[in-house]
Amino acid sequence: VEGGPKPTRKYVHLMLDRCKWDEDPLTDSNGNPVPGTDGGPAPLNWCSLVWQGAVAERMFIGFKLQKFDNAAKARSFMSDKGVVHYFDMAEKFRQGDATQMLSDDEGE
């Protein structure tokens, strides 16, 4: 999310604290659980903070939700916006690797 300190802090609080990611499994319009891509149960929803900081200028003026069929198309979109490094960072991030990522950044 882009914005000043206060709205950014509120958004982070919403996503990490207020949303109950593990309470509502994915369901279809009939209320049936949505199967995962492998035919098994759908994966659990979760949210993690991958990066937080200040940038010199906004990159997403008039940003709206975009849906892509695959990661290559999403990466191309981010590349066109000049922020492909955000996509790469999120792609590499795996829940549980946050401690490793933080210790890697401190060594640079």
Side-chain angles (χ1 to χ4, degrees), residues 34-43:
V34 175
T37 55
D38 60 357

Side-chain angles (χ1 to χ4, degrees), residues 6-53:
K6 186 175 180 179
T8 301
R9 188 173 55 250
K10 288 182 178 248
Y11 184 79
V12 169
H13 174 65
L14 169 70
M15 297 302 290
L16 297 179
D17 299 327
R18 291 186 56 207
C19 289
K20 305 299 181 204
W21 294 102
D22 57 350
E23 287 185 4
D24 298 322
L26 296 174
T27 58
D28 62 16
S29 59
N30 296 326
N32 300 321
V34 175
T37 55
D38 60 357
L44 295 175
N45 293 323
W46 56 274
C47 180
S48 293
L49 182 62
V50 177
W51 180 85
Q52 183 175 357

